[in-house]
Structure formats: structure tokens, C-alpha cells
Amino acid sequence: MAKAKKAEVSEFERKRQENIAKTQALLRNLETEAAQAGLGPTSKTASSSRPKPKKATPAKRVKVEDVTPRRTSSRLRGIEADSDKAKRKAEEEYVAIKEADRMKRQRISEAFNFGDITVVGKTWDQSGNFLRIVGPANPYERTFDFDFDSETTDKDVKALREKMSGLQLWEDFEPNEIKITPERIYSMGLHPTEEKPLVFAGDKLGNLGICDASQKAAEVKVEDDEDADSEGPVITTLKPHTRTIHTFQFSPHDANALYSASYDSSVRKLDLAKGVAVEVYGPRDPNEDAPLSGLEISKDDANMLYFSTLDGRFGMYDMRTEVMDAQIFQLSDKKIGGFSLHPQHPHLVATASLDRTLKLWDLRKITGSGDERGPSLIGDHESRLSVSHAAWNSVGQVATASYDDTVKIYDFGDCKDWKAGHELSEQAMKPSVIVPHNNQTGRWVTILRAQWQQFPSDNIQRFCIGNMNRFVDVYTGKGQQLAQLGGEGITAVPAVAKFHPTMDWIAAGTASGKLCLWM
């Protein structure tokens, strides 16, 4: 038995010595090749600093947690020093470390986005992409001045440009004095009345701020509002929701009815005349979490509510029904950031999605069954990055803002002639105008959205959109810039911008809940 044991040990020792010899030969070969290429040390240095097998690689600096085994104490594992088990353990660790080091340097053939491989420095697509047409935000740097712009000879556009660029901030109060909501503003709007500017804003925590902008500074006193921190205008704050008010709309049938959609999964109707707020829609299961990203009331039916969700669904609900049972269609696998109905033909729906597409739908034709059931798809267009919002205007144009740093304008002027089931070609779905625009809002600024003026008095279509340099930009439906609105006291990006339906008033809100109002 003793002889057999001795023979077994000798066989193991022989194999171990062979492995060590092979490793040393490999290291000598690598050093020779490196020296011949001029990359290694001199022969004297190489000879004097030739590492022992255990120190062949800087093992302690290799951090590949999913590959390299964790080293543990032999004593704690009950392995006696200089035993066969200790030798096997050392050899196994050496082989594992060598393999981990090889894997670390292994070439990978897959494609990468620059953002995925940026190790240190500026964030790519924020300010690190030096090939971008649109640069990073530079507060207060103007990129447009109508005095020096001569791109058009259209007299009407020139007159409008002068008029829009002449709009001034509310002279009685500076923006940093007008805190219309406690938290970041997500939605903004002006009441359709033309008698005075009444501004509404929804924030991150479900608050709705209301400001009468006909107030004069001389008429406002601190004692009028005991909670006021400064002598700003009097603000009325409601809290109809428990989470973010993503969007709201004044009913086209009743100016006293304001409908708001929230991340708390509900739609509420605020009766401004009666001073009541009621829930008009919510999931049948009160525990269901279905955050809403948009809503509209059809101009053809005061009782029909349309909404979209953050999980890619689109719903239609008749508010006259006693049971909250809506028709819901899965239109996208990802978030629908916003949608709109055509103002004149509300059976046409435009949706914008995180899946990078603008899609047009026809509600007159519902096809399919089960999960595949939904309105017929008229056409779609894919952008390089996600599309934040899609807005129809009254003449059949759709404006979108995308994270590819563009505002795209699509022209569907012949949509009034489309029959149910009409389909558009890929060419017909291409934008007619692409405007470069920095839309990199990041984490703390509300996403920028292009919003049309609903009923421009001069019939020149125009929209506004926030500017990361702390302005609001105004463009025509042809992509011509009309104005870049700014002023004293704007200390943050007025990201959420909205036109009055008929008047040339623009309200915009910031992440700090401040109001900027140009009139």
C-alpha cells in the first residue's frame, strides 16, 4: 500500500512539474517576441525580473467577479500547508486567473453605442458628441435674432416675426416671483377666454396651480396670501390627483370643464363654475396601476374621452356609462409619450412612442381580435431616437419632437379625403420639414413638446417649444423661426410651453414650478 501511494504522488508531481515547465516556456517565448518587437525590457532586465509562476500576472488587480473564483484561506478550509491539496488549490487558482485575464482581453465583435462604452468624461449625446448639429445647452445664448434674419421675403411672415419677437414678459412680476406650482411643472395651458390670461399648470405631485395674470403688482399685498414667501401674484393651488398631472385639456364644448390625466391612473373633470372635481375614468380594479400620458375630448362628442398610457395602450371611453369599462387597444410595446386627434377630423389619431415612431391611426375602422384588435394603421415613420409627442394642427400638419434633436413637421393636407382603411406609402410618411433643435432635457427637465396654436387669427400656423438655453422658440408650419422669447428673471429652462388657443399669449413652466408668461 505504501509503494502504491508513493507512485501516485510521483505521477501527480510529474504532471505538476510539466505544467510549470510549459508555463515558464510560454512566458520566455512571450518575452522574446516582445523584445524583438521593441516592446519588452532588455535581456538583462528581463532575465533578472523574470517572474515566478505564481506572479505571472497581477492577479490581485483583476476584477472579473463573474469569472475569477474568490480566493479563500486554506487554513479555514482545513487544508494543510505543503500538502497535495494545497498544491492542487494553488494550480487551480493560477489557471483560473490566467483564464480570467484572457477573457478580459478577448475581442468582442458586437456593435456598441458610444454611451455604452464611455468610461470617463462627458456623457455622450449630451455634450460629448462633437459631431452633433445641435450643441449642448448654453444658458442665455441666443440662436435666433429676427433683426438679422433675412431668410424670407414673405411680408406676412416678416410682420408676424416682428409681432411675436415683440412679446414681453408679464411686466408686473418677474418669473422667479411666480411660483405657480409647488413642484416641477409637467403640463401647462391657458383658459380659452380672451378677456384675460388665466394660466393653469399641473405638477409632479398632482397639484394644479391657477394664476390670474390680469393682476397688478400694486394691487397685491402679502397679507392677501398668508403662505406667500414674497409679493408675487396670488396663486390658487388645487390637488385633484395624487401623482403627476401629465396633461389636461379644456373641453371644446364647455370652457368651464377641465379634464386632467394623471400617473395615478385616473381622469378627473374639474368644473370651474361649480368648484368641484370628479373622477370620470379610472381602471375598474382600484389597485391597477395604469399611468396616463395623454387625453383628449372629441369636438364631435362631448362625452367621448380618449386617453393613452405609459405602457403603450390607447383607450376610448364613453363617460355616460355607469361602469368604467373602456375600449383599450395595445398600439405599442413601449410608452406612448403623447397623442392628439385631428382638430377637424377627430377620427384621425397621431401617436408618438418610445419605440421611435410616429403613427397615424383611423378610428373609423377597428380590425383584429383579442390583443391584436385596434384601429387601422394609416402609416408610420421611424426616427433615430424616441419621439416625445405628436400634435395635429387644423390644416393637417403633425409636429413631433424627438430625442434625435429634431422637430419634424409632417404634411397630410389631403387627409380630409382619406377613406376608412386608407394607407400611406413610406414616402408619404416622410416629414416635409426637419428643424434642428436641442431636445436633450436629461433627468431634471420636463420633456420638450411642440404645441400648435389652435386657432391663429391670421391663419399662419405656428407652434412653440421650450429651448434648453432658457428661451421659448416659436416656428411657423414651414419651419421658419418667428421668435426666441426670453427675459429677465428666467433662472431655469421654461420647458413646458403652450399657446393660448386664439391670442398671441404664451405660457411656459419650469422644473422649479415657476411661470413665464409672454403677452
Side-chain angles (χ1 to χ4, degrees):
M1 292 295 291
K3 290 183 179 180
K5 184 175 181 180
K6 184 177 181 181
E8 182 181 349
V9 172
S10 298
E11 180 67 18
F12 171 78
E13 185 66 20
R14 184 181 63 79
K15 289 184 178 181
R16 190 176 74 83
Q17 293 296 336
E18 286 178 359
N19 287 336
I20 292 173
K22 288 179 182 178
T23 300
Q24 291 176 338
L26 176 61
L27 290 173
R28 285 195 296 270
N29 186 42
L30 290 173
E31 289 171 356
T32 301
E33 292 178 356
Q36 291 174 352
L39 302 175
T42 62
S43 58
K44 181 179 179 181
T45 306
S47 176
S48 61
S49 60
R50 187 170 298 150
K52 297 179 180 179
K54 193 173 182 179
K55 298 182 180 179
T57 57
K60 292 184 179 179
R61 286 181 288 179
V62 176
K63 189 178 182 180
V64 188
E65 296 179 1
D66 57 337
V67 177
T68 307
R70 183 183 296 274
R71 299 192 62 173
T72 57
S73 167
S74 297
R75 180 179 60 81
L76 294 177
R77 293 173 58 186
I79 299 176
E80 185 180 346
D82 297 328
S83 68
D84 295 338
K85 286 186 178 181
K87 294 173 183 176
R88 283 196 297 270
K89 174 179 176 292
E91 183 179 358
E92 290 169 359
E93 287 183 352
Y94 173 79
V95 173
I97 291 171
K98 290 291 291 183
E99 177 65 13
D101 196 45
R102 185 189 70 81
M103 292 294 293
K104 185 178 179 180
R105 294 191 293 266
Q106 178 71 37
R107 179 173 64 89
I108 299 176
S109 300
E110 297 176 4
F112 288 106
N113 292 320
F114 281 10
D116 296 333
I117 55 177
T118 300
V119 177
V120 69
K122 299 176 180 178
T123 302
W124 193 261
D125 272 340
Q126 182 71 21
S127 57
N129 185 348
F130 304 108
L131 300 179
R132 281 177 41 183
I133 297 174
V134 179
N138 191 355
Y140 306 116
E141 179 182 330
R142 286 189 175 273
T143 57
F144 172 79
D145 189 336
F146 82 97
D147 287 333
F148 299 99
D149 186 73
S150 58
E151 68 178 23
T152 180
T153 57
D154 189 319
K155 292 182 179 179
D156 292 337
V157 171
K158 282 192 171 184
L160 181 58
R161 180 171 286 157
E162 185 171 355
K163 179 182 178 182
M164 296 303 301
S165 293
L167 295 179
Q168 298 295 319
L169 281 171
W170 185 5
E171 62 182 7
D172 287 85
F173 304 95
E174 288 191 1
N176 55 19
E177 297 176 326
I178 316 171
K179 190 167 178 63
I180 190 170
T181 61
E183 298 291 335
R184 186 208 296 193
I185 294 174
Y186 274 74
S187 50
M188 176 70 67
L190 286 128
H191 190 279
T193 181
E194 298 180 357
E195 296 178 2
K196 59 181 179 180
L198 292 175
V199 186
F200 292 70
D203 79 359
K204 181 179 180 179
L205 296 183
N207 299 292
L208 182 71
I210 307 172
C211 179
D212 179 353
S214 66
Q215 298 176 60
K216 299 296 182 182
E219 300 172 357
V220 178
K221 299 179 181 179
V222 176
E223 55 264 30
D224 290 337
D225 183 359
E226 295 178 356
D227 296 326
D229 295 327
S230 64
E231 295 187 18
V234 176
I235 304 293
T236 299
T237 305
L238 310 175
K239 190 173 174 58
H241 294 278
T242 58
R243 294 171 64 186
T244 301
I245 300 177
H246 188 275
T247 187
F248 60 79
Q249 180 200 19
F250 293 96
S251 171
H253 308 275
D254 180 4
N256 285 319
L258 183 147
Y259 291 87
S260 57
S262 170
Y263 285 178
D264 66 10
S265 308
S266 71
V267 175
R268 286 189 171 273
K269 176 185 177 181
L270 282 73
D271 190 320
L272 303 178
K274 297 180 180 178
V276 296
V278 297
E279 182 179 278
V280 295
Y281 174 74
R284 296 180 68 178
D285 181 356
N287 296 317
E288 181 180 348
D289 188 26
L292 303 180
S293 62
L295 75 83
E296 278 210 37
I297 304 295
S298 168
K299 82 171 186 66
D300 291 345
D301 189 342
N303 297 298
M304 187 58 68
L305 170 69
Y306 301 87
F307 60 89
S308 60
T309 71
L310 294 185
D311 61 359
R313 294 184 292 170
F314 177 80
M316 303 189 302
Y317 175 65
D318 189 333
M319 292 181 286
R320 292 170 296 190
T321 59
E322 295 182 2
V323 179
M324 292 186 182
D325 194 6
Q327 294 187 69
I328 298 179
F329 313 113
Q330 190 75 47
L331 300 187
S332 173
D333 292 333
K334 296 185 178 180
K335 167 186 173 181
I336 293 179
F339 79 95
S340 68
L341 308 179
H342 191 300
Q344 305 302 326
H345 312 288
H347 55 271
L348 300 177
V349 182
T351 60
S353 175
L354 193 63
D355 66 8
R356 304 180 297 173
T357 63
L358 159 71
K359 293 181 180 179
L360 301 184
W361 309 86
D362 192 338
L363 297 177
R364 294 174 298 181
K365 184 177 181 181
I366 306 297
T367 59
S369 60
D371 294 339
E372 301 297 324
R373 186 170 182 268
S376 63
L377 179 64
I378 298 172
D380 64 348
H381 180 263
E382 184 172 318
S383 294
R384 189 172 61 86
L385 294 173
S386 65
V387 185
S388 305
H389 185 65
W392 282 101
N393 67 11
S394 59
V395 299
Q397 291 179 300
V398 175
T400 66
S402 172
Y403 260 90
D404 63 7
D405 286 335
T406 63
V407 174
K408 300 182 182 72
I409 303 172
Y410 303 78
D411 196 347
F412 306 112
D414 61 344
C415 62
K416 62 181 183 298
D417 301 322
W418 295 350
K419 304 298 182 183
H422 183 78
E423 294 184 6
L424 293 176
S425 66
E426 182 178 344
Q427 182 64 32
M429 282 298 301
K430 289 185 177 180
S432 58
V433 180
I434 298 178
V435 180
H437 195 270
N438 182 5
N439 297 325
Q440 302 300 316
T441 54
R443 186 177 175 185
W444 308 111
V445 176
T446 304
I447 293 173
L448 307 182
R449 295 178 173 84
Q451 301 281 11
W452 297 97
Q453 186 174 28
Q454 288 182 297
F455 310 107
S457 58
D458 53 14
N459 294 319
I460 298 178
Q461 299 297 318
R462 48 189 175 269
F463 65 86
C464 61
I465 183 171
N467 182 306
M468 291 299 293
N469 289 6
R470 300 183 186 175
F471 299 100
V472 168
D473 293 326
V474 184
Y475 295 90
T476 69
K478 296 180 180 179
Q480 303 159 307
Q481 188 155 8
L482 295 174
Q484 191 163 80
L485 304 176
E488 294 292 330
I490 300 177
T491 58
V493 178
V496 187
K498 197 72 176 287
F499 260 111
H500 184 277
T502 56
M503 305 292 288
D504 288 328
W505 301 335
I506 296 177
T510 72
S512 56
K514 302 295 180 64
L515 168 65
C516 307
L517 177 62
W518 291 271
M519 297 180 286

